[in-house]
Each structure stands twice: as structure tokens, then as C-alpha cells.
Amino acid sequence: MAALLEVTDLSVRFKRTLGVDGVSLDVAAGETVGLVGESGSGKSTIGRAVLGLVPPSEGSIRFAGQEIGHASRRTRRALAHELQVVFQDPHSSLDPRMTVGATVREGLPPDRRTDEHVAALLQSVGLPADARHRYPHQFSGGQRQRIAIARAIGPDPKLVVCDEPISALDLSTQAAILNLFAELQDRTGVALLFVAHDLVAVEHLSDRIVVLYRGRVMEAGPAAEICAGPLHPYTQALWAAAPVVDPEEQRRRRTARAAAGVVSASAAPPTAQSSNGCPFAPRCPVAEPVCHTVRPAEEQVGHRRVACHLLAADRRAA
């Protein structure tokens, strides 16, 4: 499949921080790619760069064949109907002074700004048609996120950037919103760039997953393969630390994690770290001296890309 979104060697620098460091990824039409990692991994920064909210320091962002990394405001406005966003906090992303109907209608093309079309959009995300007459504060967090989703899909976009859209919701509501995204994608064919910190939460929604740590790609590939057998020690830590409903599975993961000596994905990293080595090396239970001094290349392993010196050494030995 041809790529709808192509991010190549993207770096984003802030005043004293390198938020994204040479990341490459792509999203095909109708595909969901999950960006997964803990806070500070750079996943939201990548989404914001795609949306034009932060400028790339280096690299390229192409959407539908057009370079948009440093696009003008005029170009961005022209792209608005093709490139939409759902933010993390459904409360702050909705104007409390506007009715739900006015909020949804605002982003629609002129020929679709009818009450009937707005009502149909709200019903498509599981809300009653008369919700358009009410205000955001009259809805629960999950319902407000449904309103935000209706606003995003209204212009029939090609791609929606979903920036932690479930992290502010309880577990049962998270599942309902994930199911809603899957249903809408099946119906409309929209592509999703789905930012999340929970590997398990995006496992069933994503076609492919990109695992990020401190602005770099640790592992990337088909979601089913990564979750069935994570290769990078950081991906293994994320998977082992993820909560599951089944107590037996939770116990099995804890045992496997302890046996492997995997460091918690949420453990505080040491402050001293070489910018040239693997960023996960100070927390990695199997790191060797080279991991602290030389940046690992992203090796192709089957359908996956993995940045790990030890994996590369094992392949050479085999």
C-alpha cells in the first residue's frame, strides 16, 4: 500500500531538549498505526508535528505526497478537511460556550451544516440526535470524547491524529471508545495515527505499532507480532508491566518479567546518559558497554525494525 503519511528522519528540538530524534514511520490509507511509549517518549510531539503545532528541526513530513513539515497557515487550512485530530482531554478541547451542534457544525463544509447532518454524525458515534442542543458540561467524559470524534470525522478526513484519546477515561469507557474508533474506520476507511502509553490498549486497534523511548524508535512492526513476542527489552518491559484482567495472565507476566530481570518501564532513569548510546541502556537488564556508547541501528528482523545491539549480535552469531 502507498503511504498516506510519510515521516522521515524527523527530529524536533526544544530549547534544551531533543524531543524527537531521527524517527521514521508511515501510515497507509485506512490503516491504524499506534505510537506507544511512556511520558517523554516523543509520541505526542510527533503527532503535533504532523498537525503543524510544532515545527520539525530536521527531517520530512509528507501527507498525500505533499511536504507539510513547514507548511504555511494557508496550506494547513486547506488541509483541515483531510487531516483532523482528537485530543486527550475531551473537556478542554470543547468550547463550553458552544452547543454540541455548533461545535460539530463548525468544521463541516458549507453544504453539510444542516441539523439533519449534524444529528446523523452524533448518532454515528452513539449519541442521541438531540444532543446537538446541549452543552459539553452536560455530558460525561466518554460522551464528550464521542463529541470530539464526531467533530473530527465530520469533514470526511483521510487521517485522524488521536493524541492519547483514551488516557483520561476509565477502563470500561476506554474499551467503548476503542471499539468506536474501529467501527468508524471500518465504515469510513479513515487512517488513524493513534498515540497511547498503553501497549495493550492499542493492540487490537492497530495494524502496526511503533514503540518509542526518549524520542527514538525501539521497535516497530505488525501489532500482533510485537504483542505476541516483543523483541526489544523496552518493549518487553512495557508488555510485562501492562495490567490485564485475567489474574493468571497477570501472574505469568510478573513471573516472566522477574525471571528475565526486566526493569520496570516506569522506573526513574539515571540522570547521566550518553546521547550517543541506546537511551534505554541505563535501565536495560542486559545492556553491555557498547549499548552506552554507540547508537544502535534499526535492524530489519522479519517484518519488524528493532534498534538493539544485542539482537544484532545474536543475528550475526546465528
Side-chain angles (χ1 to χ4, degrees), residues 53-263:
L53 300 178
V54 296
S57 302
E58 296 174 16
S60 169
I61 303 174
R62 299 185 68 83
F63 178 72
Q66 178 181 1
E67 173 60 44
I68 63 169
H70 295 280
S72 65
R73 290 184 180 179
R74 182 176 183 178
T75 299
R76 283 287 177 179
R77 284 195 296 269
L79 285 173
H81 68 288
E82 296 185 335
L83 182 57
Q84 286 285 318
V85 60
V86 176
F87 288 109
Q88 175 179 354
D89 184 355
H91 181 70
S92 61
S93 67
L94 300 174
D95 190 334
R97 299 165 298 180
M98 296 176 65
T99 64
V100 168
T103 295
V104 173
R105 185 180 292 110
E106 189 177 39
L108 295 174
D111 60 337
R112 297 185 188 178
R113 294 176 183 171
T114 63
D115 284 345
E116 292 77 14
H117 191 78
V118 171
L121 269 174
L122 292 172
Q123 289 176 314
S124 75
V125 298
L127 292 171
D130 62 4
R132 66 187 187 277
H133 302 303
R134 297 155 64 187
Y135 289 85
H137 73 271
Q138 297 176 282
F139 296 88
S140 68
Q143 289 172 322
R144 286 196 293 266
Q145 198 60 291
R146 290 175 184 269
I147 295 166
I149 294 169
R151 177 178 60 183
I153 66 169
D156 291 335
K158 293 179 180 178
L159 174 70
V160 176
V161 176
C162 307
D163 187 6
E164 297 269 19
I166 60 172
S167 62
L169 308 175
D170 60 60
L171 288 177
S172 61
T173 308
Q174 285 183 11
I177 295 299
L178 287 171
N179 288 336
L180 174 60
F181 274 117
E183 292 167 8
L184 290 172
Q185 188 174 47
D186 286 343
R187 190 185 330 148
T188 66
V190 66
L192 303 176
L193 182 63
F194 201 96
V195 175
H197 62 269
D198 189 341
L199 188 62
V200 175
V202 298
E203 176 188 3
H204 300 294
L205 180 66
S206 301
D207 299 292
R208 290 184 292 128
I209 288 175
V210 178
V211 180
L212 297 156
Y213 182 71
R214 293 201 168 189
R216 297 188 195 171
V217 175
M218 299 290 102
E219 183 169 356
E225 290 188 19
I226 286 179
C227 293
L231 296 176
H232 196 284
Y234 177 61
T235 315
Q236 293 169 4
L238 283 179
W239 182 252
V244 293
V245 175
D246 185 351
E248 288 299 321
E249 174 62 15
Q250 186 70 42
R251 190 177 300 112
R252 186 190 69 77
R253 290 189 185 187
R254 282 200 303 266
T255 302
R257 179 180 166 193
V262 175
V263 178

Side-chain angles (χ1 to χ4, degrees), residues 34-52:
L35 298 185
V36 180
E38 59 195 314
S39 297
S41 64
K43 57 190 186 300
S44 288
T45 302
I46 294 170
R48 291 172 66 82
V50 170
L51 293 166

